[in-house]
Amino acid sequence: MIIQRVVLNSRPGKNGVPVAENFRLEQSTIADTIQAGQVRVRTLYLSVDPYMRCRMNEDTGSDYLLPWQLSEVADGGGIGVVEESKHENLAKGDFVTSFNWPWQTVAILDGSLLQKLVPQLVNGCLSYFLGAAGITGLTALLGIKEKGHVAVGANQTMVVSGAAGACGSLAGQIGRLEGCSRVVGIAGTDEKCSILVQEMGFDAAINYKKEDVAEQLRQLCPGGVDVYFDNVGGDISDTVISQMNQNSHIILCGQISQYNKDVPYPPPLPPDIEKIQKERNITRERFLVLNYMDKQEASTLQLCQWIQEGKLKVRETVVEGLANIG
């Protein structure tokens, strides 16, 4: 059978900015028959995520992320429908997902490595299982539960950087649902800031490209910052940390501003900011959602319930066609 697939064509270099030419769309073939335990699936959705920048390097800088190989098919979170099955628990027409889904139109996969999906849990919006009800939502929810120390009635203020992104937009809403009394987002356009406040329920949002972040934080968080959901690192994070309270908590989710630089993860803080962190006893521990997979099922059901109840608002960017995945 002839299929289309996307392979890694070249590496951008540890300090380079990725370009479309780093990937290549090509035709390939897969077997016409499947073996016992296998399923043939047609790809419906693929998720493109910031962590994939690390996989474009020969050394990902992380022991849990394998690098993509040159001229080999890329992979990541994906959803598809079973077209043929020789696995006892999967049947034709089932919707399935995997964290290592190949970027190709049709694939033959080991059925035991796939998770069966129930579309009704997300009101039929299958793609949510790659976002709000998938690893992105789990990262936001478990990050807040495990590292945020949010308590109902504690009058805590949460700040979220990269707040209009897939994870950040969920984290702010979940912070509120878990008990934060005030949630402030940081994003890069007026439109994103407006969406955060008007649609996602944030109390306020700061456009870091146009506004003085430090001054805005002083005005919007007069009692200081108790919980910081950090998606970006760099100067913005340094500014937030400088206004955090004694015994406050940083949820170290991502460091997007650093991904095109050859630095360790998590990147070290500047000496003056590190001094503040230590003096105020601010926790800043690496958080990896894959370490909490024993809580995946219950957490996923919680996310789905919030979606069904309309308490968790979801926005997605969906691009049609494998050729446009870059």
Side-chain angles (χ1 to χ4, degrees):
M1 178 184 293
I2 298 173
I3 62 162
Q4 282 190 316
R5 66 177 193 169
V6 173
V7 302
L8 185 67
N9 189 49
S10 60
R11 300 189 190 277
K14 282 192 172 184
N15 296 295
V17 177
V19 293
E21 289 72 26
N22 293 137
F23 295 95
R24 183 175 75 247
L25 180 67
E26 63 180 28
Q27 280 196 341
S28 185
T29 58
I30 59 171
D32 290 325
T33 58
I34 60 174
Q35 306 299 315
Q38 292 182 327
V39 294
R40 188 179 76 245
V41 293
R42 177 166 50 86
T43 301
L44 298 176
Y45 296 99
L46 296 169
S47 183
V48 180
D49 305 291
Y51 79 87
M52 292 175 169
R53 171 62 186 89
C54 304
R55 299 193 68 189
M56 296 178 76
N57 295 338
E58 204 163 357
D59 176 7
T60 65
S62 177
D63 52 8
Y64 68 91
L65 284 180
L66 294 175
W68 285 329
Q69 299 301 316
L70 290 173
S71 295
E72 294 293 328
V73 67
D75 70 305
I79 290 172
V81 60
V82 176
E83 293 190 325
E84 183 183 357
S85 176
K86 288 190 177 178
H87 188 277
E88 58 183 2
N89 295 329
L90 296 172
K92 182 179 179 179
D94 283 347
F95 295 106
V96 290
T97 186
S98 167
F99 196 57
N100 300 108
W101 196 285
W103 285 9
Q104 56 193 58
T105 49
V106 180
I108 295 174
L109 302 175
D110 181 345
S112 64
L113 301 179
L114 299 173
Q115 182 182 352
K116 193 172 174 179
L117 299 175
V118 181
Q120 293 86 344
L121 288 175
V122 287
N123 300 326
C125 299
L126 271 176
S127 57
Y128 284 11
F129 284 116
L130 291 181
I135 203 77
T136 310
L138 290 171
T139 298
L141 176 57
L142 290 169
I144 289 167
K145 279 185 168 291
E146 299 297 326
K147 300 294 184 182
H149 302 273
V150 174
V152 176
N155 197 32
Q156 291 164 298
T157 294
M158 172 187 277
V159 170
V160 183
S161 58
C167 194
S169 62
L170 297 170
Q173 297 179 76
I174 291 170
R176 168 86 74 210
L177 290 166
E178 287 294 301
C180 284
S181 59
R182 187 162 182 77
V183 179
V184 175
I186 302 174
T189 69
D190 288 342
E191 181 188 10
K192 289 177 180 179
C193 290
S194 176
I195 290 169
L196 290 174
V197 175
Q198 295 180 16
E199 291 186 27
M200 305 293 185
F202 284 61
D203 292 284
I206 302 167
N207 182 344
Y208 73 89
K209 292 184 179 178
K210 291 174 61 175
E211 299 177 277
D212 182 326
V213 176
E215 179 58 34
Q216 287 296 307
L217 283 172
R218 280 189 285 271
Q219 291 184 27
L220 298 171
C221 310
V225 178
D226 301 295
V227 185
Y228 173 39
F229 199 98
D230 184 6
N231 283 308
V232 302
D235 294 341
I236 287 176
S237 290
D238 297 344
T239 302
V240 176
I241 293 169
S242 68
Q243 297 195 35
M244 293 186 74
N245 292 326
Q246 194 74 25
N247 302 318
S248 54
H249 305 283
I250 299 169
I251 302 166
L252 197 57
C253 178
Q255 302 283 278
I256 293 172
S257 71
Q258 309 297 303
Y259 285 171
N260 291 326
K261 302 175 184 176
D262 185 15
V263 293
Y265 186 88
L269 296 171
D272 57 328
I273 302 300
E274 186 177 15
K275 183 181 179 186
I276 289 173
Q277 181 208 345
K278 290 180 177 177
E279 287 178 347
R280 298 182 192 170
N281 192 35
I282 302 169
T283 62
R284 183 181 184 255
E285 301 165 344
R286 182 174 184 172
F287 170 74
L288 178 60
V289 69
L290 299 178
N291 290 338
Y292 300 92
M293 284 298 97
D294 59 316
K295 301 180 180 180
Q296 176 185 6
E297 187 174 350
S299 299
T300 300
L301 289 174
Q302 174 66 84
L303 291 164
C304 291
Q305 181 182 337
W306 281 335
I307 291 169
Q308 289 174 341
E309 294 172 349
K311 293 179 179 177
L312 203 57
K313 303 290 193 302
V314 184
R315 267 197 169 228
E316 294 181 311
T317 300
V318 180
V319 177
E320 295 280 347
L322 198 61
N324 299 312
I325 197 167

